[in-house]
Amino acid sequence: MDQQLIFTNDTIPAIQKWVATVKPSTLFIVCDENTASRVGESILTALPQAQIITIGAGDKHKDLVSVSQIWEQMSANGGTRRSAVINAGGGMITDIGGFAAATFKRGVRFLNLPTTLLGAVDAAVGGKTGFNFNGLKNEIGAFAPADAVVISTRYFSTLPSEELLSGYAEMIKHGLISSREMFIQLLDFNISHADLDRLLPLLEENVMVKKHVVDVDPKEQGLRKALNLGHTPGHAFEAWALHRERPVPHGYAVAWGLVVDLILSHLRWGFPSEDLHLLASYVKAHYATPCITCDDYPELLEYMRHDKKNARVGEINFTLLAAPGDLRLDSLVPDDDIRAALDIFRDLTE
């Protein structure tokens, strides 16, 4: 995957250098209502030729209406195949802005500037773009890597603790698929009162885990499935909460999903119980837990069956581990084992 990753807290010079290299005919900045004034206008000051496109904030606006809004404003304001887009915001913006850029005029160049930890470690890197459709997350999308991603911690100081924790769950996932050393290092870092200068090199090391995986397998035919650790049950928890009109941050659902996947990993592949308990204790202390009962299991299983990562209808496919860094891809797990894992999950985290 030909994607330049730039780790720096001097973000504006890095963006200016990219624009000078690309020489776009027109330049657009895609933001949501939360980042338009805080981030978008600072870019506009440095790049006065740019035009800001603002869409609604929050996952409820990650839809075809917002994609159409971006296309319409690009088309009405001089957009051509030589235009370029800067997506400045969280994962919602880099996902939807990336999709809009990748499909406008059959594709224009774009740069991602993630302003949340979750966006920096997950959505902005790797080339997945898309939007929610028909009640399902990221149901429509395409693999379209940004030309460049500028990764910084300078925007994190204003993030609420919940936002930092949400992104940190993805970092823990990368630690688990990399090595026990990285996993333990992440559990020892105080993300609740984070030293942002110290976080940047930690974030760089973590993102490079994902970059390596994506470089080897850009279209998720093999190794990239490692990045699904925690996500099959995590997406189910997320959909379950949304259905009850009590949405939870994506990273919280992933944290819960990681515990479920490590339980399954222990049951099926002998994942060390010590590391399972370390993660479960950490998640319980930092992410609370969903108030599920056994009556919720059929709904959760149904969401897992509809997960787009399943190769065949009706089967539930998991990424599991025999130990930190020791992957077991394409683990098909029967419903009874998933129910047992959910029982253990409740025992460990409630």
Side-chain angles (χ1 to χ4, degrees):
M1 181 190 64
D2 186 18
Q3 184 176 72
Q4 182 184 15
L5 302 184
I6 305 163
F7 296 88
T8 179
N9 281 330
D10 293 324
T11 57
I12 295 300
I15 294 169
Q16 289 174 318
K17 183 177 180 180
W18 178 78
V19 171
T21 301
V22 172
K23 298 181 176 64
S25 60
T26 46
L27 180 63
F28 300 95
I29 306 166
V30 176
C31 300
D32 66 21
E33 294 165 340
N34 292 335
T35 55
S37 59
R38 184 168 60 92
V39 181
E41 289 183 6
S42 68
I43 300 173
L44 188 60
T45 300
L47 297 165
Q49 74 272 34
Q51 303 173 61
I52 293 183
I53 300 173
T54 303
I55 63 173
D59 210 57
K60 66 180 180 179
H61 292 289
K62 190 179 181 180
D63 58 13
L64 183 57
V65 173
S66 294
V67 176
S68 296
Q69 181 183 340
I70 297 169
W71 286 333
E72 288 166 3
Q73 292 194 42
M74 291 177 69
S75 184
N77 291 282
T80 73
R81 294 190 70 179
R82 292 189 56 249
S83 296
V85 173
I86 297 169
N87 299 309
M92 188 275 272
I93 287 295
T94 57
D95 274 3
I96 202 168
F99 181 83
T103 50
F104 183 78
K105 304 288 187 183
R106 293 197 177 97
V108 300
R109 300 175 75 172
F110 66 98
L111 175 146
N112 287 336
L113 176 67
T115 60
T116 66
L117 179 56
L118 180 59
V121 77
D122 184 34
V125 176
K128 286 186 177 180
T129 68
F131 58 93
N132 304 337
F133 183 73
N134 201 26
L136 298 172
K137 282 186 66 65
N138 300 322
E139 182 75 351
I140 308 297
F143 289 98
D147 275 35
V149 185
V150 177
I151 296 176
S152 166
T153 60
R154 64 172 294 186
Y155 304 107
F156 299 169
S157 60
T158 59
L159 293 178
S161 176
E162 182 181 85
E163 286 281 349
L164 283 172
L165 283 167
S166 189
Y168 206 64
E170 292 284 354
M171 291 185 68
I172 292 171
K173 177 198 75 177
H174 290 158
L176 280 164
I177 67 175
S178 176
S179 68
R180 188 173 192 272
E181 180 182 11
M182 184 180 287
F183 170 57
I184 297 301
Q185 180 185 31
L186 291 167
L187 295 190
D188 287 341
F189 182 79
N190 187 357
I191 189 61
S192 297
H193 298 89
D195 178 338
L196 296 182
D197 289 333
R198 185 176 163 224
L199 180 61
L200 185 59
L202 193 66
L203 179 58
E204 179 173 358
E205 180 184 20
N206 200 269
V207 170
M208 295 308 289
V209 173
K210 180 172 184 177
K211 185 178 187 299
H212 166 73
V213 169
V214 173
D215 284 346
V216 171
D217 178 23
K219 295 293 182 70
E220 203 167 37
Q221 301 301 307
L223 181 61
R224 186 164 180 160
K225 296 175 184 178
L227 301 176
N228 294 331
L229 183 70
H231 282 64
T232 296
H235 284 157
F237 284 131
E238 202 168 1
W240 172 87
L242 191 61
H243 185 243
R244 281 152 183 75
E245 298 183 346
R246 298 196 302 269
V248 297
H250 172 72
Y252 279 54
V254 168
W256 303 335
L258 286 172
V259 178
V260 173
D261 276 359
L262 291 198
I263 293 167
L264 289 170
S265 296
H266 176 71
L267 295 174
R268 295 181 68 81
W269 301 109
F271 184 89
S273 59
E274 176 187 358
D275 291 340
L276 165 59
H277 283 275
L278 282 174
L279 179 69
S281 297
Y282 187 91
V283 169
K284 181 178 180 179
H286 293 84
Y287 295 91
T289 50
C291 297
I292 61 170
T293 71
C294 56
D295 292 336
D296 297 307
Y297 293 0
E299 182 181 352
L300 290 167
L301 285 164
E302 192 63 19
Y303 286 130
M304 292 184 210
R305 268 188 282 272
H306 281 281
D307 194 286
K308 60 184 176 295
K309 297 183 293 295
N310 293 322
R312 291 184 289 272
V313 174
E315 294 183 338
I316 305 179
N317 194 4
F318 291 81
T319 291
L320 302 178
L321 298 168
D326 189 354
L327 295 162
R328 294 293 183 271
L329 305 177
D330 295 319
S331 292
L332 295 176
V333 180
D335 289 4
D336 285 348
D337 286 3
I338 299 171
R339 292 190 191 96
L342 291 170
D343 283 339
I344 297 169
F345 169 79
R346 289 165 58 201
D347 289 340
L348 289 175
T349 59
E350 289 183 352

